[in-house]
Amino acid sequence: MVEDLSPFLPLSPATLHVLLALAAGDCHGYGIMQEVARQSEGQYKLGPGTLYDNLQKMMNQGMVEEAPSPSDNDDPRRRYYRLTRFGRAVLHADVTRLERVVRQAKLHLRPASGKAR
């Protein structure tokens, strides 16, 4: 049975970027901010307030969960996060939606072949 993910779509830009950053692997908050900046080539920057508000919301929705620290030597105050199976499904659904949007945009933005509009 396919789960209806439409109540979660479309994702906000912040949620989309955080989920995409976590799709690469478990990460702590500052690492997520760095990964978002890297993946967006500096075009999208998350502040700590936006990041942690969104992480809390995604944890409440079951898209993200806390992950164990990868090292015993890590700062015990540092919290790590991971994408859940549900979060990955929501991310996949939104990427599929965005692909359809881009496909339609390309069709409508093609240069007219000698036709005036």
Side-chain angles (χ1 to χ4, degrees):
M1 184 174 136
V2 176
E3 188 171 1
D4 179 19
L5 301 174
S6 61
F8 300 94
L9 305 176
L11 295 174
S12 71
T15 300
L16 174 65
H17 283 285
V18 170
L19 291 178
L20 187 57
L22 289 173
D26 298 358
C27 201
H28 55 78
Y30 183 65
I32 293 170
M33 289 190 290
Q34 290 179 311
E35 181 63 11
V36 166
R38 187 197 68 75
Q39 287 181 357
S40 69
E41 297 178 346
Q43 296 295 307
Y44 195 84
K45 293 179 181 148
L46 280 173
T50 300
L51 172 66
Y52 290 106
D53 286 350
N54 276 275
L55 280 170
Q56 187 60 56
K57 178 182 165 192
M58 289 183 277
M59 288 174 64
N60 291 343
Q61 293 173 322
M63 290 187 227
V64 171
E65 63 188 9
E66 270 197 64
S69 173
S71 167
D72 291 336
N73 300 332
D74 206 3
D75 184 340
R77 296 170 295 177
R78 183 173 276 174
R79 294 171 64 188
Y80 282 79
Y81 302 91
R82 77 166 39 126
L83 193 59
T84 64
R85 182 177 289 177
F86 176 67
R88 189 170 296 277
V90 171
L91 176 60
H92 184 269
D94 202 45
V95 168
T96 301
R97 180 192 67 80
L98 289 168
E99 287 171 338
R100 287 192 299 267
V101 169
V102 169
R103 204 169 26 253
Q104 286 299 309
K106 286 180 179 180
L107 286 173
H108 293 293
L109 295 175
R110 277 194 188 137
S113 56
K115 295 181 183 177
R117 282 194 158 205

